[in-house]
Amino acid sequence: MRLTQSIYSLAIMAAIGAASLTAGKKAVGQAEFSSFVYIGNDDYYNANPLKGDGDFYNPVIAGWYSDPSIVRTGEDYYLVTSTFGYFPGVPLYHSRDLVNWRLVRNILDRPEQLPGLVGQSLDRGGIYAPQISYNPHNSIYYMITTDVGSKEGHFYVTATDPEGSWSNPVWLKGIDGIDPSLFFDDDGSAYIVYKEDTTGRPKWSNYRCIRFIAFDPESGQTVGDSWPLAEAGVGPEEHLDRDEGPHIYKIDGRYFLICAEGGTSNHHSAVIYRADSLRGEFTRWSRNPALTQRYLKDKRTNPITCTGHADLVMTPEGEWWGVFLGCRPGPGGFQALGRETYLMPVKWSRDGFPYFTQSQDTVPLTLHREGVKHDPSWGSSGNFIWSDDFKGESLRPEWIGLRGTTADYCHLDGECLRMQCCRELSTGKGVPAYVGRRIQHHKFEASTRVRFKPRNGGESAGLLMLKNESRQYYLAVCGDRVELRTLSPKEVRVIASAEMPCKAGRDVELRVVSDGICYDFYVREAARDAEWTPVAEDVDASYLACERTGGFTGATIGLYAESRD
């Protein structure tokens, strides 16, 4: 990649909080998006083709799919992950083999299921660490989670068919904190384990902050008082962030508790406890952590880092496997992918504790599971092509927006996605005219075909790359020019531009190409054999990197239309 034109800038102060949420719904110009293509091209997959049936890639769900939780009923596995400030919330994946995962729907897909997202931070508020479970005593699936920025906090929704519609939220009383998880015992009793509010508590030491409370499936509410984790055994030798993300399992008559520990960065891990009773002492495994990569060298080839927040599942054949989150830094040592979903077989220690890694064991990027054939067309792992011509009756479940439904701004007409410009901006805390999908590769190409003629100088539409409210690249069609802008709550900065290759109102194609270190942005007329015109090249990809921005989400890329008049 090389810089082919000078980069100039223009600072424009944006209106912060000036427009009301209802004002953002006022429609003006309209963009017509008729295609979107995403092509993954990571080096590891190109250099390491799978050798045969049974081989598969880690992560099994690439890109920002963090805090995975898994459940099996019969031959079917279902998996959910966090969505924070995005809507619809909580993607539901289905698999029959643990390796190939298909996104079947988003569980929280109605505004009444997520009423509190507006006003919250995109990558620090919203839906944290959902857990999916199945109660065999009433044949009902549960998804329980926390809306961190809402006043109510914890809630769950239910379904008898997980691939169908889920109920409205049931808000829970009697518990605080985050990361609730349901457990249904053999005798029909049920419990919630969670991380309590830690305000004023020590950050580390033997204080674990995990609590339990009984749950009544008939009334749908907690029962009685909660009680704390009673810990016995060896404590940590390091000062590590307290436990969170707990899950309970009953295996051969004994209770196992798995928790995330050490924070969410490079010290992240999973630890295991065991007890004869939920109200009894939980023995902390003397060889914890049961999963981590923190003992490995930072500068290693193809590293996986930050592993933790695990969940276990037993196959119909009686084997144990587990899913967990991890990060995959790219060629420049940074990444915009966020926390991804990994899969590994579970091992058992001689003293009867489950674990994934010990000491300097590495999480492999390629594994083997007998009888399974990896299918890249599912769009969950490896290099693949994903496209949309917007001719369906509804948006595909990969498309997500910010904090609420985009139904007021976007609709499908059988030929394209029509998106109205609106005054609610992507840098605010409302619901802008944006639909995006997760970036799943370091090296990728994404393009869209759009027809747009602004009604005034404040309108634009195009391709938006978004990490949070303050870090965004916007390839914008705005009249007779195409501009690459950075967007933040304080300013719009135009860093490069090019003339439109055709008259305003005719179809053009926009494209971004990433090599994992830099982005190149292009435009061309949507005509046969048209050449791509560079708008900007060698644009810093670390601007959207998780290591620079913080937060809990990865970057998304998608379609956007705004009005600043």
Side-chain angles (χ1 to χ4, degrees), residues 443-454:
K443 293 189 174 183
F444 68 90
E445 176 183 325
S447 60
T448 188
R449 179 169 179 160
V450 59
R451 177 182 298 174
F452 177 65
K453 186 175 182 178

Side-chain angles (χ1 to χ4, degrees), residues 190-209:
Y191 303 89
I192 296 174
V193 60
Y194 62 100
K195 174 186 176 180
E196 69 175 308
D197 184 2
T198 57
T199 303
R201 299 282 191 172
K203 189 174 183 179
W204 41 62
S205 80
N206 286 340
Y207 174 69
R208 295 283 177 247
C209 70

Side-chain angles (χ1 to χ4, degrees), residues 232-245:
V234 178
E237 296 179 357
E238 305 165 88
H239 278 183
L240 298 174
D241 285 7
R242 57 176 76 88
D243 286 7
E244 58 186 11

Side-chain angles (χ1 to χ4, degrees), residues 69-394:
S69 172
I70 190 171
V71 69
R72 178 184 64 85
T73 53
E75 300 291 326
D76 297 298
Y77 299 91
Y78 292 100
L79 183 147
V80 296
T81 66
S82 296
T83 41
F84 297 91
Y86 280 89
F87 181 93
V90 187
L92 178 72
Y93 271 89
H94 171 257
S95 177
R96 284 287 181 92
D97 57 20
L98 286 174
V99 170
N100 297 292
W101 291 92
R102 188 181 304 280
L103 179 57
V104 295
R105 66 170 299 120
N106 293 284
I107 289 178
L108 305 176
D109 61 353
R110 305 188 302 276
E112 59 268 27
Q113 291 176 307
L114 272 178
L117 287 186
V118 172
Q120 294 196 49
S121 167
L122 181 63
D123 59 357
R124 293 186 180 273
I127 298 301
Y128 279 41
Q131 183 245 3
I132 188 169
S133 57
Y134 177 73
N135 185 355
H137 305 286
N138 60 12
S139 302
I140 291 176
Y141 290 86
Y142 293 75
M143 190 283 294
I144 187 171
T145 188
T146 310
D147 184 352
V148 170
S150 72
K151 294 180 181 180
E152 289 85 358
H154 303 295
F155 69 91
Y156 66 88
V157 293
T158 59
T160 53
D161 174 10
E163 298 186 34
S165 181
W166 289 66
S167 73
N168 281 341
V170 178
W171 296 93
L172 288 166
K173 302 176 183 178
I175 58 176
D176 57 12
I178 58 172
D179 297 356
S181 178
L182 273 162
F183 167 71
F184 300 100
D185 211 337
D186 302 335
D187 60 3
S189 60
Y191 303 89
I192 296 174
V193 60
Y194 62 100
K195 174 186 176 180
E196 69 175 308
D197 184 2
T198 57
T199 303
R201 299 282 191 172
K203 189 174 183 179
W204 41 62
S205 80
N206 286 340
Y207 174 69
R208 295 283 177 247
C209 70
I210 300 299
R211 297 189 73 87
F212 305 83
I213 193 168
F215 174 76
D216 179 16
E218 289 194 13
S219 69
Q221 284 295 330
T222 58
V223 179
D225 296 327
S226 66
W227 67 93
L229 168 68
E231 182 183 357
V234 178
E237 296 179 357
E238 305 165 88
H239 278 183
L240 298 174
D241 285 7
R242 57 176 76 88
D243 286 7
E244 58 186 11
H247 298 302
I248 303 172
Y249 316 89
K250 192 172 187 179
I251 304 172
D252 295 333
R254 306 177 85 175
Y255 298 90
F256 290 82
L257 174 67
I258 189 170
C259 298
E261 188 173 274
T264 58
S265 188
N266 288 344
H267 282 84
H268 202 202
S269 64
V271 294
I272 294 287
Y273 303 83
R274 188 179 65 195
D276 295 325
S277 165
L278 290 181
R279 293 183 180 270
E281 286 190 337
F282 275 81
T283 300
R284 182 180 170 93
W285 188 34
S286 61
R287 290 167 55 191
N288 274 327
L291 166 69
T292 194
Q293 299 289 271
R294 65 174 175 250
Y295 303 124
L296 303 178
K297 294 180 179 179
D298 292 337
K299 294 183 179 180
R300 59 190 189 275
T301 303
N302 298 318
I304 297 172
T305 65
C306 309
T307 54
H309 204 109
D311 198 5
L312 310 181
V313 68
M314 188 176 70
T315 69
E317 297 76 29
E319 299 175 342
W320 283 92
W321 287 71
V323 292
F324 54 91
L325 66 79
C327 294
R328 186 165 46 109
F334 57 83
Q335 50 87 27
L337 307 182
R339 296 166 175 86
E340 306 177 292
T341 292
Y342 291 80
L343 173 75
M344 279 185 68
V346 173
K347 302 173 184 178
W348 289 86
S349 66
R350 291 183 178 180
D351 53 351
F353 284 85
Y355 69 96
F356 297 93
T357 66
Q358 286 286 275
S359 185
Q360 297 193 33
D361 292 346
T362 59
V363 173
L365 285 164
T366 305
L367 294 93
H368 184 87
R369 176 163 158 72
E370 198 64 35
V372 173
K373 184 175 182 179
H374 173 252
D375 186 350
S377 69
W378 288 41
S380 58
S381 68
N383 285 332
F384 56 82
I385 299 175
W386 186 93
S387 63
D388 196 345
D389 60 7
F390 302 108
K391 292 183 178 179
E393 295 182 357
S394 60

Side-chain angles (χ1 to χ4, degrees), residues 398-461:
E398 288 86 356
W399 292 114
I400 51 179
L402 311 187
R403 304 180 194 84
T405 177
T406 57
D408 289 342
Y409 314 129
C410 306
H411 72 277
L412 298 171
D413 65 1
E415 295 296 328
C416 66
L417 171 65
R418 296 183 181 272
M419 180 178 289
Q420 297 173 339
C421 298
C422 79
R423 293 185 174 88
E424 192 63 59
L425 305 178
S426 61
T427 54
K429 294 293 182 69
V431 184
Y434 172 73
V435 292
R437 55 154 291 144
R438 293 162 174 85
I439 294 174
Q440 295 179 275
H441 300 80
H442 303 292
K443 293 189 174 183
F444 68 90
E445 176 183 325
S447 60
T448 188
R449 179 169 179 160
V450 59
R451 177 182 298 174
F452 177 65
K453 186 175 182 178
R455 296 184 181 181
N456 58 62
E459 292 184 352
S460 62

